[in-house]
Amino acid sequence: MIGEVLIKVENLSKSFGSIKALDGVDAEIRKGDVAVIIGPSGSGKSTFLRCLNLLEVPTGGKIFFEGTDITDPRVDINKHRQKMGMVFQQFKLFPHMTVLDNMILSPIKVLKQPREQAVRKAVELLERVGLADRMNAYPSQLSGGQKQRIAIVRALCMEPDVMLFDEPTSALDPEMVGEVLDVMRKLAGSGMTMVVVTHEMGFAREVGTRIIFMDEGKIVEEKSPSELFSNPSSDRLKAFLAKVL
Amino acid sequence: MAEWINDFRVKFINNFITDNRWKYLLNGLGITLEVTFFSALIGIFIGFIIAIIRSTHDKTGKMKLPDALCKLYVTVIRGTPVVVQLLIIYFVVFASVNVNKVIAAIIAFGINSGAYVAEIVRSGIMSIDTGQMEAGRSLGLNFFQTMYYIILPQAFKNVLPALANEFIVLLKETSISGYIALQDLAKGGDIIRGRTYDAFMPLIAVALIYLFMVVLLSKGVEIMERRLRSSDR
């Protein structure tokens, strides 16, 4: 299932003032990958993810997405963001729009789809996550788990080539984590390329095709889940796993 | 009592009916509404543009020069009395051209209102979580699409009471149009006072008409607010 290189990151660095959030990161995401990034807080995992679609502008290094260096200022980043779905910890639905309007806004405005086509696609996706009956609800009328499922299908409406997840379950009540992970599991099963920053070690082990362990702005280890969890080589990973498992 | 009513009747006829004096009020009201409406439009136009420039600068550090110019504009307009601005527009800026007084007033009040609208809208934009911009951009919308479809509608809802207040102030502020001899509502009442030597009747009438318009405006905003709040349940 794992195919060609979709995202290639070269010597990526990002500083906030004197703080180095990312310090020379190299990575490759291939088609069909479910790359799970783990690491202690402040290790740079979220910054890394946010750099991938340039929500954070890197201080140095290059990011190639489908062969184009998107850190080049001449590149139209909006074009590439269309193909990179992003799901945030805080859902970030648009509170003044219904669920359906949240979903069809960018297919209509960016992809110039006719409204009927966008609606059809949105309804189909809503059915897949069991929320078709909430189509006309406003975000404030939904539970956290529902909001996050909507956020995921909102991103899927753009038919992205890769989905980026930034701690998608960290802001949820414990009983709602399962429903969101379920959606993500199905998505991975359908062959979607995913990059996931999470603290859910069970999910990482079960769904991940690769685990990337980051600490202090660097990738410390990168292995298959079975290898990484059963046979961590660095002391830092051992210490981290001892704390979270 | 009957004497008082009779007295009132005589004064009323003298102030409003004789020589069709009510026309001063009616025509004045027309001018007041015209000036208020068009200067509000100009104010909204200028205000939104400045608010977008300034909040973009505040959030991203870009647009340094436009931001500096906007700041200068806001400082000058808010730092000088509107009467002086009106006089400058009419007697200095348009000194050599024969411009319609209504247009001069619309321009002066529009430029004045723009500065206040700008600060109101800017506070609204700044009150929206940065995450909304990120969410919009991550869906492939460009900066202006995100502003237009996502940030501004939410910001507008948040600042609607403050904006309404600004337009109430604007409506009443146009009553200084008499300074450039424009016959607005207030001036109309004052002309009647000059004719009849009765201050009470025309001035109270003018006050009541302003009050009525402000109440109407507030009511309209209230209805709009309620409709915009439908997503808050």
Side-chain angles (χ1 to χ4, degrees):
Chain A
M1 279 298 284
I2 309 292
E4 63 198 88
V5 176
L6 207 57
I7 304 174
K8 187 172 165 55
V9 176
E10 283 179 6
N11 197 22
L12 187 69
S13 60
K14 171 75 185 176
S15 309
F16 297 101
S18 61
I19 300 156
K20 271 192 173 172
L22 291 177
D23 189 5
V25 174
D26 294 289
E28 257 182 25
I29 311 290
R30 290 170 175 275
K31 223 172 211 150
D33 252 342
V34 178
V36 180
I37 307 172
I38 61 172
S41 56
S43 59
K45 20 183 226 310
S46 279
T47 308
F48 174 68
L49 192 76
R50 290 162 57 80
C51 278
L52 291 184
N53 69 353
L54 256 54
L55 282 186
E56 298 296 350
V57 180
T59 335
K62 285 189 159 80
I63 302 165
F64 293 91
F65 175 61
E66 297 178 334
T68 314
D69 178 10
I70 58 172
T71 56
D72 185 334
R74 282 165 301 178
V75 161
D76 178 10
I77 187 61
N78 299 318
K79 276 238 142 36
H80 297 283
R81 281 188 180 136
Q82 294 166 23
K83 297 183 193 156
M84 302 172 125
M86 178 128 187
V87 175
F88 301 89
Q89 182 178 348
Q90 302 293 346
F91 330 128
K92 300 186 180 173
L93 296 180
F94 309 132
H96 61 302
M97 294 181 182
T98 63
V99 166
L100 186 66
D101 288 338
N102 261 275
M103 294 175 71
I104 63 176
L105 176 68
S106 113
I108 291 175
K109 300 301 173 197
V110 178
L111 301 180
K112 310 289 180 203
Q113 287 179 5
R115 192 185 156 86
E116 308 81 69
Q117 185 190 342
V119 169
R120 212 181 313 128
K121 173 88 185 160
V123 172
E124 181 193 311
L125 283 163
L126 281 172
E127 275 165 359
R128 232 194 282 169
V129 295
L131 287 170
D133 57 326
R134 306 315 307 273
M135 185 163 81
N136 295 315
Y138 283 98
S140 59
Q141 298 165 308
L142 304 174
S143 73
Q146 290 174 330
K147 280 182 204 168
Q148 195 60 299
R149 282 186 281 159
I150 298 293
I152 294 172
V153 288
R154 177 176 72 178
L156 289 176
C157 277
M158 295 294 285
E159 304 191 345
D161 294 340
V162 57
M163 286 284 286
L164 312 174
F165 291 85
D166 189 5
E167 304 199 25
T169 58
S170 299
L172 295 173
D173 290 338
E175 75 267 26
M176 291 171 183
V177 171
E179 63 191 66
V180 171
L181 291 182
D182 264 348
V183 171
M184 293 170 63
R185 205 173 282 126
K186 276 189 208 153
L187 192 59
S190 72
M192 175 62 76
T193 310
M194 293 162 63
V195 184
V196 185
V197 171
T198 188
H199 294 290
E200 296 289 332
M201 293 303 149
F203 176 84
R205 191 194 304 230
E206 182 199 338
V207 182
T209 55
R210 266 187 317 139
I211 312 285
I212 296 168
F213 172 67
M214 287 185 71
D215 194 20
E216 294 175 352
K218 290 190 166 85
I219 293 180
V220 181
E221 277 187 60
E222 188 179 346
K223 285 174 175 168
S224 74
S226 52
E227 236 183 305
L228 183 124
F229 285 106
S230 58
N231 191 17
S233 45
S234 64
D235 290 341
R236 278 194 278 180
L237 177 55
K238 280 178 199 166
F240 176 70
L241 290 177
K243 268 185 237 163
V244 297
L245 287 182
Chain B
M1 188 67 191
E3 194 185 333
W4 186 84
I5 289 174
N6 195 43
D7 186 40
F8 185 91
R9 206 175 62 92
V10 170
K11 275 188 174 170
F12 187 90
I13 289 170
N14 186 33
N15 277 295
F16 302 125
I17 311 293
T18 313
D19 291 345
N20 279 339
R21 287 189 179 129
W22 56 273
K23 278 196 172 162
Y24 288 114
L25 295 185
L26 188 67
N27 295 342
L29 176 63
I31 298 283
T32 293
L33 290 176
E34 195 183 344
V35 171
T36 305
F37 179 78
F38 288 106
S39 53
L41 283 190
I42 294 176
I44 290 172
F45 182 75
I46 297 178
F48 269 75
I49 288 176
I50 289 188
I52 290 170
I53 292 172
R54 291 211 55 207
S55 53
T56 304
H57 174 264
D58 287 356
K59 287 193 173 180
T60 65
K62 288 177 192 162
M63 303 218 263
K64 274 206 172 65
L65 183 66
D67 177 70
L69 291 174
C70 292
K71 254 188 202 157
L72 179 69
Y73 163 78
V74 171
T75 308
V76 169
I77 296 298
R78 292 203 306 183
T80 53
V82 60
V83 187
V84 178
Q85 292 165 17
L86 178 67
L87 292 174
I88 288 175
I89 292 284
Y90 187 64
F91 291 112
V92 180
V93 177
F94 290 125
S96 51
V97 262
N98 194 8
V99 71
N100 186 324
K101 282 174 188 155
V102 175
I103 300 211
I106 287 173
I107 291 171
F109 288 115
I111 290 174
N112 178 268
S113 187
Y116 293 91
V117 172
E119 286 303 280
I120 293 169
V121 175
R122 187 173 72 93
S123 77
I125 293 173
M126 298 305 279
S127 75
I128 305 300
D129 176 24
T130 333
Q132 291 286 312
M133 179 55 90
E134 287 184 351
R137 299 304 304 275
S138 78
L139 285 166
L141 296 164
N142 65 34
F143 177 86
F144 291 103
Q145 287 174 320
T146 311
M147 260 297 165
Y148 186 77
Y149 294 111
I150 296 166
I151 309 293
L152 288 180
Q154 297 181 59
F156 182 71
K157 189 173 86 172
N158 288 356
V159 300
L160 192 59
L163 269 184
N165 193 48
E166 162 57 22
F167 294 128
I168 287 171
V169 170
L170 176 64
L171 171 69
K172 294 186 294 177
E173 252 176 6
T174 60
S175 62
I176 59 163
S177 300
Y179 271 86
I180 58 169
L182 179 62
Q183 294 192 12
D184 71 324
L185 178 58
K187 185 72 182 174
D190 207 41
I191 289 172
I192 297 176
R193 184 181 62 82
R195 298 277 150 83
T196 61
Y197 300 106
D198 179 9
F200 180 85
M201 275 276 172
L203 295 185
I204 294 295
V206 164
L208 285 176
I209 295 171
Y210 276 112
L211 180 63
F212 176 73
M213 288 192 295
V214 169
V215 169
L216 214 62
L217 192 59
S218 314
K219 204 76 200 158
V221 172
E222 206 178 285
I223 291 166
M224 204 155 128
E225 249 180 273
R226 214 177 306 134
R227 282 183 47 184
L228 285 173
R229 234 186 284 134
S230 61
S231 62
D232 285 350
R233 269 165 292 169

